[in-house]
Amino acid sequence: MSKNKTAGYKGPYGYQKRREGDGEWDFNWCDVGWLRENFDHSYMEEHVRICHFRNHYELTRKNLMVKNLKRYRKTLEREAGRIEASKCDFFPRTFELPSEYHLFVEEFKRSPGSTWIMKPVARSQGKGIFLFQKLKDIMDWKKDGSRSEEQRDETQVESYVAQRYIENPYLISGRKFDLRVYVLVTSYIPLKAWLYRDGFARFSSTRFSLTSIDDQYVHLTNVAVQKTAPDYDPEKGCKWQMQQLRRYLTARHGTETIEALFKDVDNIFVRSLQSVQKVIINDKHCFELYGYDILLDQDLKPWLIEVNASPSLTASSQEDYEMKCCLLEDTLHIVDMEGRLTGREKRVGGYDLMWNDGPVYREDVNLETLGSACFTANTHLGCVNDRKKQLRQLLKPFPSKKRI
């Protein structure tokens, strides 16, 4: 990575390369806490890479994600019309509390008996989340009645989002699940985004029912929650690989229907990134591996639940371990510290280039006859991932270099 002698060590979320003697690093896979404390005080040479954009939270904090999506949808409606703006209708009705409490109450009263979900804006792994159907429940929470001791001790009230709960999720064997999908962004100006072929569905361990809204094992699919369930089996886990899920859905609903579904999922990735493109501080040193959480309802409509800046890389099974190792390896291939790529690649390992300052088309599309109605994106989520074969063809062996 560097002409200087290097020494590696494990950082909070992975691997950093440091040059001995001067304490500088070439590549840093850090957590967002390290970034917040150190980014503005770090001098980075041309070749240095770091795994977050400075204000990544514009997309990965639940309240800011919704704020940016709402603003983007209004801009689209003003500039391109309602039909184009309707392509952003993939996130549930959401309010930030306590700042939008009165707006939320008005909306709540319009749909009595509906279910809502409360989430802290800056926490993960299902922490602090609860469902409610009565305004009294949230008023008790607001008065500290149902908040944890830790929260009560805080001098400032923690921000939450109140979100309309998807009451009709698509179920498999009576159980709710969501999708974890990986999107890698290497630039926001211009926007360049890659979609990973593999991912997984995370299942709840208990059959779905709205009569038990206090049961987190029914409603929260986070692995951190599910692995504490009394009947959790660590050998079986609670995941399906994305290929398995796509095969199941295709067998039940047909190829055409599921291709349309995955096209709608692609739309979520592109639109959400475009919603923050003008506010993210672009930096040539930065890249971001996002973990998208997508929920399907019984009508096969995909909903964006949240976007994670530091998706968990902890493996829950051997299959999960192998998938995440390949994901990290392919991420490093695209970051390309060694300069082995030309910059014109449409595929690197398990990644397919989804957006490059505009839509990227599959190799077999005839651009001369292509109309908007038959647009075929260069995305293959849940399809065969023959990454090893592709990498052998793509990456040439390192040229021999003299040690300096």
Side-chain angles (χ1 to χ4, degrees):
M1 284 188 179
S2 169
K3 290 183 178 179
N4 296 345
K5 189 177 179 183
T6 61
Y9 78 97
K10 288 286 181 181
Y13 274 79
Y15 197 75
Q16 302 179 15
K17 270 286 194 181
R18 282 194 183 276
R19 281 172 277 177
E20 287 184 357
D22 56 15
E24 295 180 1
W25 44 267
D26 301 306
F27 178 88
N28 193 343
W29 192 284
C30 66
D31 62 17
V32 294
W34 186 96
L35 185 88
R36 186 170 54 249
E37 294 175 10
N38 297 281
F39 189 93
D40 290 338
H41 312 293
S42 300
Y43 168 74
M44 288 181 273
E45 296 181 18
E46 181 79 18
H47 68 283
V48 168
R49 294 293 181 268
I50 188 167
C51 70
H52 296 292
F53 287 91
R54 177 66 185 85
N55 58 336
H56 61 87
Y57 46 77
E58 293 287 351
L59 184 59
T60 58
R61 281 178 69 106
K62 299 174 185 71
N63 56 334
L64 296 180
M65 179 191 81
V66 171
K67 175 185 174 183
N68 285 311
L69 282 168
K70 286 179 178 178
R71 187 189 63 242
Y72 179 65
R73 184 169 57 187
K74 285 182 181 178
T75 301
L76 280 179
E77 185 171 353
R78 185 173 64 251
E79 297 178 355
R82 289 187 178 180
I83 294 177
E84 189 68 17
S86 68
K87 295 176 182 177
C88 290
D89 292 339
F90 50 70
F91 57 99
R93 191 85 167 139
T94 306
F95 298 89
E96 183 177 359
L97 303 184
S99 61
E100 296 181 327
Y101 180 76
H102 296 294
L103 291 173
F104 161 72
V105 170
E106 289 179 19
E107 179 67 22
F108 183 90
K109 290 179 177 177
R110 290 193 194 104
S111 51
S114 59
T115 307
W116 292 75
I117 185 167
M118 285 279 283
K119 306 175 184 178
V121 301
R123 288 202 261 172
S124 59
Q125 299 184 324
K127 295 172 184 172
I129 296 178
F130 63 93
L131 277 65
F132 64 98
Q133 294 173 328
K134 298 177 181 177
L135 201 55
K136 179 184 78 68
D137 298 334
I138 198 172
M139 291 175 75
D140 290 344
W141 168 85
K142 193 181 176 188
K143 296 173 183 175
D144 288 357
S146 59
R147 298 169 71 205
S148 67
E149 291 292 335
E150 179 185 324
Q151 286 175 268
R152 289 178 215 175
D153 291 340
E154 293 173 359
T155 54
Q156 188 175 357
V157 176
E158 183 178 12
S159 291
Y160 271 65
V161 291
Q163 194 169 70
R164 188 75 179 263
Y165 188 62
I166 306 300
E167 296 179 327
N168 61 334
Y170 190 100
L171 305 178
I172 295 179
S173 299
R175 289 169 173 79
K176 177 182 172 180
F177 66 93
D178 68 359
L179 313 182
R180 166 57 60 86
V181 186
Y182 299 99
V183 175
L184 175 65
V185 176
T186 54
S187 169
Y188 270 99
I189 303 175
L191 181 60
K192 190 169 186 177
W194 302 76
L195 177 62
Y196 204 62
R197 294 187 174 203
D198 292 336
F200 49 85
R202 305 179 298 184
F203 286 81
S204 62
S205 59
T206 306
R207 295 178 69 87
F208 182 80
S209 170
L210 284 174
T211 60
S212 52
I213 63 171
D214 294 328
D215 189 341
Q216 60 180 354
Y217 302 125
V218 172
H219 300 284
L220 304 185
T221 59
N222 310 69
V223 176
V225 171
Q226 292 299 325
K227 68 182 182 182
T228 65
D231 56 349
Y232 177 75
D233 184 347
E235 300 250 336
K236 293 181 179 178
C238 54
K239 294 179 181 178
W240 278 12
Q241 291 300 309
M242 194 65 71
Q243 289 183 30
Q244 181 182 359
L245 178 70
R246 185 159 186 162
R247 285 196 301 267
Y248 174 89
L249 294 173
T250 300
R252 287 205 62 185
H253 302 283
T255 300
E256 187 176 339
T257 298
I258 299 310
E259 284 186 352
L261 164 63
F262 277 81
K263 185 177 177 180
D264 289 342
V265 174
D266 292 343
N267 174 68
I268 291 177
F269 305 139
V270 172
R271 298 288 179 172
S272 60
L273 294 173
Q274 288 176 329
S275 75
V276 297
Q277 186 179 5
K278 293 182 179 179
V279 295
I280 292 284
I281 302 169
N282 194 59
D283 190 311
K284 63 186 177 183
H285 301 100
C286 302
F287 66 94
E288 193 95 41
L289 177 62
Y290 293 111
Y292 273 76
D293 292 343
I294 308 288
L295 179 72
L296 307 182
D297 68 20
Q298 64 186 17
D299 300 319
L300 291 177
K301 174 180 171 63
W303 295 89
L304 175 60
I305 303 303
E306 64 179 283
V307 185
N308 298 274
S310 296
S312 173
L313 299 174
T314 303
S316 57
S317 67
Q318 183 62 31
E319 188 177 40
D320 198 38
Y321 174 84
E322 291 170 2
M323 187 275 286
K324 288 177 176 175
C325 283
C326 292
L327 169 72
L328 285 173
E329 184 180 342
D330 292 344
T331 299
L332 295 179
H333 283 314
I334 289 178
V335 173
D336 193 26
M337 294 291 290
E338 298 86 4
R340 304 174 80 183
L341 304 181
T342 66
R344 298 187 297 274
E345 291 82 5
K346 285 187 176 181
R347 182 183 176 192
V348 177
Y351 278 109
D352 297 289
L353 184 60
M354 172 173 57
W355 194 268
N356 189 15
D357 202 22
V360 180
Y361 304 108
R362 295 185 187 179
E363 296 288 354
D364 56 354
V365 172
N366 184 347
L367 293 178
E368 292 182 3
T369 60
L370 185 69
S372 59
C374 59
F375 165 69
T376 308
N378 183 47
T379 55
H380 303 268
L381 180 61
C383 297
V384 173
N385 186 5
D386 53 343
R387 55 178 296 276
K388 289 185 179 180
K389 177 182 176 182
Q390 197 274 338
L391 287 171
R392 280 197 300 269
Q393 296 171 346
L394 177 68
L395 299 178
K396 298 176 181 178
F398 281 116
S400 58
K401 290 183 181 179
K402 282 188 176 182
R403 286 188 175 272
I404 299 177

